């Protein structure tokens, strides 16, 4: 019995012992497994961190693939770790050998990779040129180990297959799902990171492109080998290649031939590392200022290295035109002042000589001409002074209670004789709703009226009519409708939307049956530098300053001046004076 | 037709036109007047004057154009022309016109009426 017990205990002890041994073994296996999985996790984290850092600098897929393949040995056994990437028209095949293999081994790996890329992209790549780079152990021809273990991981960036990564071994049965999963995961992570970064870069690039595209300056950029990288629409337009889709730097060199040596300027700029500016380059019928500047990397490991050159075309045509207009204006002024003065002097010389008797008709005529010429000059000098004051903001008006009816009638009387001479019917009518007394500067207002009436008479042919019309404008009303309501019918109709007129204003319109103004010239009417050519071709005198001064006077009253005109039909010039003048220039 | 020499004056400044024309009438020349380039050219080709006094800056057709057209004409290519001008000698317009062969040019800044009379006589005696 006792023995039985001992045996029993013995068995039990054995069983317990056995169990504990079994248990310990199991624990150890578990531990080992955990350890391996930990190692894999650590590896995963380490390589992802490294990828993250590297990807930060570079979007170069090859670099990223190199990082992955270069780190594989940490968790996987292989004879060869390789990558194959699709370049423009070739395949880049990189193999890292952990141990020596035969040429045949590498070829097998290569062919299988080409096969899998072809399968992934559903396109035959077997005819593509393959650039091969082998690193690590050397090839040994005597060896005859076949590729026994092998797996492929596709490399996908931005949903596009760009290549494959492959691990191959001489030994059989090596790669399990676990290894493949890890590599797959890493590749996927790397792909995601690159894809995201590419998105960011693409967005930035789009912004940059949109900016360059919308620039009115012409911009082109070349790489270090003077190949065209960027050419915005403005520059294509400038160079006359707007409709050409494929353009190269040679198009630019050819089109600029004789005007600008693009290539040597780029070379010079890059060599001397400075911006080169060239002024007054004529391309087509325009003037340009051209800047050529080197483009260099800022920041990062390659700071300072030259990427290429950028060329900017700044259009100077308009500035030149303004300069030209200014010169024209000056010479016109000189002519306008010198002509009457020359006349006065010549007449005075003749009279001084004593050849002309006081009693003769000629004598009276000469005195009349001298008076006319000096008046003309005085008026011009006054206009010039007023223009200068208006431009510098120093123009002042002195409003006081004025009788508009009288003001208008006075001017009509002043021009009555001149109108008669040309057989033009000149009328002045004030609508009954216009108040008897309006606050304005009567002298300045008279000046505006004189300018406008004199212009109307000048540009209206014999037998026509010029009408001065005064009526009221109410807030929100249309001036042409208000004119018609006040009983004034205009020959010309406003084609565009009517300009905004201040609330509750007095409107004075000068309507004529004259030659009218073309749309082209309309916009130039109230600007200083215009006219000479226009007036010269019509044979009418005038500097055009009258309208500039008139506009200044009306605006000083807080009013507006506008014109409606039709070529060959007539014109209506009208200006408004607000009833409540709130003028800062009031004393 | 009288044996008086006939002079065409083309000038847009009435005071100068008047004074010059009257002064030369005094010298017993027959004067023809035009106030702009186009009228001047028409009169020249129609009347064939012995001499033309021509202003340069004028409305409708400037002196340069008048000269050019005149020199294209078989009669006009030989008629002596005196330019009445306010332009400086280095002015582009003046250079242009001189290339069409003016007999003489004057710059108004310097000349007096008597200078014109003297020059007119000189040119016409040579004829």
């Amino acid at each position: 019995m006792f023995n039985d017990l001992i045996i029993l205990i013995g068995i039990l002890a054995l069983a317990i012992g056995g169990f504990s041994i079994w248990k310990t073994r199991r624990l150890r296996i578990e531990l080992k497994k955990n350890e391996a999985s930990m190692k894999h996790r650590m590896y995963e984290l380490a390589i992802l961190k490294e990828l993250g850092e590297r990807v930060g600098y570079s979007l170069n897929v090859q670099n990223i693939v190199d990082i992955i393949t270069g780190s594989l040995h940490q968790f996987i056994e292989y004879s060869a770790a390789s990558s194959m990437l699709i370049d423009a028209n070739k395949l880049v095949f990189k193999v890292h050998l952990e141990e020596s293999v035969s040429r045949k081994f590498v070829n097998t790996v290569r062919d299988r990779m080409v096969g899998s890329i072809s399968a992934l992209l559903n396109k035959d790549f077997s005819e593509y040129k393959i650039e091969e780079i082998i690193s690590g152990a050397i090839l040994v021809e005597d060896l005859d180990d076949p590729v026994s273990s092998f797996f492929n991981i596709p490399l996908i960036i931005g949903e596009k297959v760009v290549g494959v990564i492959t691990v191959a071994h001489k030994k059989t049965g090596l790669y399990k799902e676990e290894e493949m999963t890890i590599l797959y995961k890493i590749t996927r992570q790397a792909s995601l990171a690159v894809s995201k970064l590419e998105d960011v870069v693409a967005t930035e690039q789009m912004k940059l492109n949109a900016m360059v595209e919308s620039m009115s300056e012409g911009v082109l950029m070349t790489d270090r080998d003077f190949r065209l990288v960027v050419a915005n629409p403005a520059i294509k337009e400038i160079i006359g290649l707007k409709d050409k889709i494929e353009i190269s730097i040679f198009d630019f060199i050819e089109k600029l031939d004789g005007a600008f040596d693009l290539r040597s300027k780029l070379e010079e700029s890059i060599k001397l590392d400075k911006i080169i500016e060239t002024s007054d380059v004529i391309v087509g019928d325009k003037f340009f200022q051209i800047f050529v500047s080197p483009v260099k990397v800022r920041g990062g490991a390659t700071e300072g290295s030259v990427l290429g050159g950028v060329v900017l075309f700044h259009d100077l045509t308009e500035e030149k035109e303004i300069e030209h207009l200014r010169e024209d204006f000056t010479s016109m002024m000189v002519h306008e002042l010198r002509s009457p003065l020359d006349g006065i002097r010549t007449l005075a010389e003749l009279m001084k000589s004593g050849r002309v008797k006081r009693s003769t008709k000629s004598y009276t005529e000469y005195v009349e001409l001298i008076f006319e010429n000096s008046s003309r000059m005085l008026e011009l000098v006054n206009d010039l002074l007023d223009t200068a004051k208006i431009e510098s903001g120093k123009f002042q008006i002195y409003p006081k209670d004025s009788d508009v009816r009288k003001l208008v009638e006075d001017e009509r009387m002043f021009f009555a004789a001149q109108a008669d001479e040309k057989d033009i019917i000149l009328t002045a009518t004030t609508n009954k709703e216009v108040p008897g007394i309006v606050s304005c500067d009567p002298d300045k207002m008279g000046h505006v009226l004189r300018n406008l009436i004199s212009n109307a008479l000048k540009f209206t042919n014999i037998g026509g009519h010029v009408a001065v019309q005064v009526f009221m404008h109410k807030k929100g009303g249309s001036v042409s409708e208000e004119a018609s309501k006040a009983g004034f019918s205009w020959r010309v109709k406003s084609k565009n939307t009517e300009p905004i007129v201040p609330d509750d204003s007095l409107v004075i319109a000068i309507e004529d049956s004259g030659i009218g103004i073309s749309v082209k010239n309309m916009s130039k009417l109230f600007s200083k530098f215009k006219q000479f050519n226009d007036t010269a071709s019509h044979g009418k005198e005038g500097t055009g300053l009258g309208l500039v001064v008139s506009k200044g006077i009306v605006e000083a009253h807080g009013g507006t001046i506008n014109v409606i005109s039709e070529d060959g039909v007539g014109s209506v010039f009208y200006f408004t004076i607000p009833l409540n003048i709130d003028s800062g220039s009031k004393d | 037709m009288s044996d008086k020499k006939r002079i065409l004056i083309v000038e847009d400044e009435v005071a100068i036109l008047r004074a010059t024309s009257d002064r030369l009438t005094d010298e017993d020349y027959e004067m023809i007047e035009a106030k702009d380039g186009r009228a001047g050219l028409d009169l020249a080709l129609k009347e064939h004057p012995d001499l033309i006094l021509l202003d340069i800056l004028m409305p409708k057709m400037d002196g340069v154009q008048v000269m050019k057209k005149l020199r294209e004409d078989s009669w006009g290519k030989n008629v002596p022309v005196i330019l009445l001008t306010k332009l400086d000698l280095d002015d582009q317009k003046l250079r242009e016109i001189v290339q069409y062969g003016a007999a003489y040019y004057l710059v108004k800044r310097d000349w007096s009426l008597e200078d014109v009379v003297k020059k007119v006589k000189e040119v016409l005696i040579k004829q």
Side-chain angles (χ1 to χ4, degrees), chain A residues 279-403:
Chain A
S279 282
D280 292 355
V281 179
I282 300 172
V283 184
D285 51 3
K286 293 193 159 185
F287 282 91
F288 291 93
Q289 188 177 19
I290 301 179
F291 298 91
V292 181
S293 164
V295 178
K296 297 198 294 186
V297 177
R298 292 202 199 287
T302 50
E303 162 133 33
S305 67
V306 175
L307 290 174
V310 69
V311 185
L312 188 132
F313 282 60
H314 173 62
D315 192 342
L316 284 177
T317 316
E318 209 168 300
E319 285 158 48
K320 286 262 169 201
E321 265 167 14
I322 289 170
E323 193 182 311
H324 189 70
L325 279 173
R326 196 163 283 148
E327 280 166 13
D328 274 3
F329 179 77
T330 309
S331 61
M332 173 193 70
M333 277 303 144
V334 170
H335 178 257
E336 289 294 314
L337 283 171
R338 200 191 255 172
S339 274
L341 193 56
D342 274 335
I344 292 169
R345 206 188 68 142
T346 313
L347 285 168
E349 187 196 345
L350 189 58
M351 291 165 85
K352 206 176 98 184
S353 70
R355 291 170 182 278
V356 197
K357 297 281 167 298
R358 249 174 190 277
S359 53
T360 58
K361 193 171 157 252
S362 299
Y363 189 92
T364 325
E365 204 187 329
Y366 295 167
V367 173
E368 193 62 45
L369 277 170
I370 289 175
F371 180 76
E372 255 176 44
N373 277 15
S374 51
S375 305
R376 216 169 91 202
M377 287 180 67
L378 191 62
E379 197 182 313
L380 185 56
V381 171
N382 285 337
D383 277 354
L384 274 172
L385 287 175
D386 282 349
T387 308
K389 278 189 202 157
I390 289 164
E391 280 175 350
S392 63
K394 286 180 189 145
F395 190 73
Q396 289 216 318
I397 55 160
Y398 303 97
K400 60 183 180 200
D401 288 350
S402 318
D403 180 349

Side-chain angles (χ1 to χ4, degrees), chain A residues 253-288:
Chain A
I253 290 170
E254 187 192 328
K255 291 275 180 182
L256 290 169
D257 188 34
F260 187 73
D261 190 348
L262 186 63
R263 208 197 148 112
S264 45
K265 292 280 182 194
L266 273 166
E267 276 171 3
E268 195 186 337
S269 164
I270 290 169
K271 200 175 128 205
L272 302 176
D273 188 18
K274 66 171 198 183
I275 297 173
I276 295 174
E277 184 200 327
T278 316
S279 282
D280 292 355
V281 179
I282 300 172
V283 184
D285 51 3
K286 293 193 159 185
F287 282 91
F288 291 93

Side-chain angles (χ1 to χ4, degrees), chain A residues 15 96 102 110 135 165 224 264-265 295 306 366 383 388 471 474 540 543 565:
Chain A
H96 181 78
S102 66
R110 184 193 66 202
S135 60
I165 292 177
R224 261 175 308 186
S264 45
K265 292 280 182 194
V295 178
V306 175
Y366 295 167
D383 277 354
F471 55 95
K474 287 273 183 303
K540 314 282 179 186
T543 56
S565 187

Side-chain angles (χ1 to χ4, degrees), chain B residues 15 58 87 102:
Chain B
M58 280 185 301
L87 299 173

